[in-house]
Amino acid sequence: MNWLASVDPLYAHGVTGVVLLIVLIKVLVGFGVLMGSVILMIWFERKAISDMQSRIGPQRWGPFGLLQTLADGMKLMFKEDLVPAEADRFVFKLAPYLVLVPALITFAIVPLGGTIHVAGHPIMLQVANPPMGILLMLVMSGISVYGVMLAGWSSGSKYPLLSSVRASAQMISYEAALGMTIVTIVLATGSLSTHDIVAAQGHGIWHWNLIRLGVVPFVVFLIAITAELNRPPFDVVEAESELVGGFHTEYSSIRFAIFFLAEYMNTITMSAIIVTLFLGGPAGWVPNISHLRWVFPILWFLAKTVGFAFCYIWFRASLPRLRYDQLMDLGWKRLIPLSLGWMLIVAGFLVARGWGFLMAALVLIAWTVLTRAFEIGQGRESGVESVLPMVGERPLPERKLRDASEGEES
Amino acid sequence: MIATAYSVPSIVIFVTAALLILVGAIGVISLRHPVHAALSLIMTLFGVAVAFVAQSADFLAAVQIIVYAGAIVVLFLFVIMFLGVDRREGISVEPLVGQRAFAALGVLVTVAGLIALMARSHWVSGVMSVSSAGQPISTGQGNVKELGTAVFTTYLFAFEATAALLIIAVVGAVLLARRERTTQPEEVSS
């Protein structure tokens, strides 16, 4: 039990009743904060999108339409709960929880502030600080893939099935780039725990991973996490114009509400994770006011997180959706090599400056070779005749379609 | 002797993990539907992860879920969904003649071997962890360091050989699946 204290100073004197009570309160507060912020996030997204589209948005319920989400939730709860006749009933009912539970658990590792002392107990302002740290986020995003996949498959309907096939390929592809950037951060920090990652960035803006690791990992992470969230412009999983509603087409009532809830929970959690990993989490300027010093880290954390939440809304309003093959190209041909190369360069510089430059040169050579390989591969036709239909019968390759359509226009 | 070495919480954790592993494993072979079997496999993998955490191998537990549950079983499901293998297959027909007799023999030999090993070797020692004093070698974050050192020094050859094997398998699969077409029919290019 002694190693528990190294994870969280709360356990230094063993696990007593008071400690258990504190942990329970932390869990409940964390849950409440997440639920409350989901309601605000949905309202914020609808209002911001409305502003960007010159509409008014929700305004009827509560001041500025703040209670609109509650009203929608109530409405959804009283809707009829449908299970399609073709559905796999057990998996159909299980899937929403496979999306919701990971969304809740991931939030537990986010440090919301520093450490406060209440009645002699040091309390970290994060629900849990497990030794596996940031890996928990990867674990949970790995599980939430199942929620989306199984929801689509178990509906027994063709559009959700297409959506779940897309979801599984997309989320696995982008998890690789995501993992690689996290490895870069873990290498630089020397620790997996989110508390240590935040503590290592606490000495000013030049120590933030955003700047310390070069901006590349941050950009890769932001793109990969947007794809992982299935948010626009990477929302081919629930592309309304192609797949009706995507994996949750057949869901209604409270189960649909759970998917909706989990999506926004994930948006908030991932904004918080980006802030934790790259922007120092609660780090920031703290004025010297006694008894209120612990409030400012929380405010900094909130401000940064809201900034990223706004970014996601902004993406949705301004960027067109990627086509499925463009999405895969971006993931496999750009982000994974880029994040892998950058990780090697950072690792080289961590050992010694000379190794860093050597690594940079090697990565540059590999990059040139890879680009050339993509160029050669682009112009080739491939496939097995026995599986694919004959060339005249299947849709033309996009390159030829583009050539043909450009010819017509001119 | 053995019973006194365990505390109540560790027994509860062990029983939970063992139940998850066993129920999942039985589900994989007994459930008729491929998707349900894959779900049972995930349950088994979770049980193994719980067992790893109980042994203070947090890093291995995380990797277990990320790699096996998060990627490999997803690919199984992807193939099941994509190729539409979700129809029930008749298991009364033997694809290979005499397969069942050999399978029964194999199970018998494996179980007998396991029991013999457990009875005659140091496998059942009553200690909580694999290290000597019953204490884990390293806890929490130390896992990564211990594992990295072991993989890149003592077991370097096995590690690199596995990596090479995986690369060969991937390249081979791509080569087999993507055959370059040399001649192109004329009507498309016009």
Side-chain angles (χ1 to χ4, degrees), chain B residues 147-166:
Chain B
L147 200 69
T149 316
V151 160
F152 285 103
T153 55
T154 322
Y155 304 107
L156 181 67
F157 180 71
F159 180 69
E160 296 294 339
T162 316
L165 190 71
L166 284 174

Side-chain angles (χ1 to χ4, degrees), chain A residues 2-3 6 88 90-91 94 98 130-133 135-136 138-140 142-143 145-146 149-150 152-153 161 164-166 168-169 172 175 190-193 196 324 377 379-385 388-392 394 396-397 399-400, chain B residues 9 33 35-36 38-39 42 45-46 53 56-63 65-66 68-82 86 88 135-136 139-141 143-144 176-185 187-189:
Chain A
N2 53 353
W3 65 272
S6 68
D88 187 314
F90 173 70
V91 182
L94 176 76
L98 286 179
M132 62 177 86
L135 291 181
L136 193 72
L138 288 177
V139 169
M140 287 305 147
I143 295 165
V145 178
Y146 286 108
M149 263 185 106
L150 293 172
W153 172 79
L161 183 67
S164 67
V165 168
R166 285 181 179 190
S168 51
I172 284 190
E175 231 161 64
S191 171
L192 289 172
S193 125
D196 295 348
Y324 186 66
R380 290 208 182 161
E381 299 287 319
S382 64
V384 185
E385 284 89 339
L388 290 172
M390 287 305 289
V391 174
R394 69 187 152 106
L396 290 169
R399 185 170 49 83
K400 288 185 174 143
Chain B
H33 206 294
V35 173
H36 293 170
L39 284 177
I42 300 165
L45 295 170
F46 262 92
V53 171
S56 299
D58 298 78
F59 181 71
L60 269 186
V63 170
I65 302 289
I66 294 172
Y68 284 93
I72 291 177
V73 183
V74 171
L75 283 182
F76 287 177
L77 279 174
F78 184 76
V79 171
I80 293 170
M81 287 173 188
F82 209 56
D86 52 336
R88 280 136 223 247
Q135 288 294 317
T139 54
Q141 309 249 347
N143 281 187
V144 188
L176 288 176
R178 283 180 74 101
R179 201 168 295 147
E180 295 277 334
R181 195 179 293 109
T182 44
T183 53
Q184 282 195 14
E187 69 266 343
V188 185
S189 56

Side-chain angles (χ1 to χ4, degrees), chain A residues 58-384:
Chain A
Q59 52 158 344
R60 294 281 163 178
W61 300 104
F64 310 109
L66 266 170
L67 299 180
Q68 179 69 43
T69 313
L70 281 181
D72 283 346
M74 289 298 224
K75 185 197 76 175
L76 276 172
M77 254 185 262
F78 290 112
K79 291 267 179 180
E80 187 185 351
D81 184 15
L82 293 167
V83 179
E86 285 287 299
D88 187 314
R89 299 184 74 89
F90 173 70
V91 182
F92 187 80
K93 289 178 180 172
L94 176 76
Y97 301 100
L98 286 179
V99 181
L100 183 74
V101 172
L104 278 169
I105 293 178
T106 315
F107 192 70
I109 60 163
V110 176
L112 305 174
T115 306
I116 57 171
H117 292 265
V118 176
H121 291 280
I123 299 171
M124 290 162 115
L125 289 179
Q126 76 186 82
V127 177
N129 184 25
M132 62 177 86
I134 192 65
L135 291 181
L136 193 72
M137 183 214 126
L138 288 177
V139 169
M140 287 305 147
S141 75
I143 295 165
S144 63
V145 178
Y146 286 108
V148 175
M149 263 185 106
L150 293 172
W153 172 79
S154 65
S155 298
S157 163
K158 60 185 171 187
Y159 292 117
L161 183 67
L162 280 174
S163 165
S164 67
V165 168
R166 285 181 179 190
S168 51
Q170 175 186 345
M171 289 165 102
I172 284 190
S173 314
Y174 280 84
E175 231 161 64
L178 208 64
M180 221 70 85
T181 30
I182 288 177
V183 167
T184 317
I185 293 163
V186 170
L187 273 178
T189 314
S191 171
L192 289 172
S193 125
T194 43
H195 183 258
D196 295 348
I197 290 174
V198 164
Q201 302 175 69
H203 314 293
I205 199 163
W206 298 108
H207 292 270
W208 289 4
N209 283 332
L210 170 67
I211 293 163
R212 195 165 58 142
L213 300 177
V215 188
V216 174
F218 169 73
V219 174
V220 171
F221 193 87
L222 187 63
I223 296 174
I225 208 94
T226 314
E228 192 73 19
L229 283 171
N230 299 325
R231 294 243 352 153
F234 303 106
D235 62 336
V236 289
V237 167
E238 42 199 290
E240 295 88 353
S241 46
E242 304 162 24
L243 298 178
V244 191
F247 60 92
H248 53 57
T249 304
E250 303 289 348
Y251 281 84
S252 64
S253 184
I254 194 73
R255 294 205 183 91
F256 173 75
I258 288 176
F259 277 119
F260 203 67
L261 203 67
E263 191 185 326
Y264 280 87
M265 248 181 223
N266 272 324
T267 310
I268 293 165
T269 309
M270 292 310 165
S271 307
I273 291 272
I274 293 177
V275 168
T276 303
L277 292 181
F278 289 98
L279 293 157
W285 177 70
V286 176
N288 199 3
I289 307 167
S290 56
H291 301 302
L292 280 177
R293 287 174 64 87
W294 61 276
V295 178
F296 287 93
I298 301 176
L299 291 180
W300 275 112
F301 173 81
L302 279 179
K304 291 171 189 171
T305 308
V306 169
F308 277 102
F310 179 74
C311 270
Y312 285 127
I313 300 168
W314 202 3
F315 287 165
R316 178 176 159 188
S318 50
L319 294 173
R321 181 182 299 134
L322 270 78
R323 220 172 44 216
Y324 186 66
D325 58 320
Q326 292 170 331
L327 185 88
M328 283 293 151
D329 270 10
L330 180 69
W332 286 99
K333 294 184 181 171
R334 307 279 190 282
L335 292 186
I336 291 178
L338 186 63
S339 53
L340 182 63
W342 202 265
M343 183 199 74
L344 290 175
I345 295 173
V346 168
F349 274 108
L350 282 173
V351 176
R353 193 168 288 250
W355 282 106
F357 284 119
L358 183 67
M359 271 299 172
L362 286 177
V363 166
L364 210 62
I365 293 169
W367 184 261
T368 330
V369 172
L370 204 62
T371 317
R372 183 78 192 116
F374 288 155
E375 267 172 26
I376 294 171
Q378 204 77 56
R380 290 208 182 161
E381 299 287 319
S382 64
V384 185

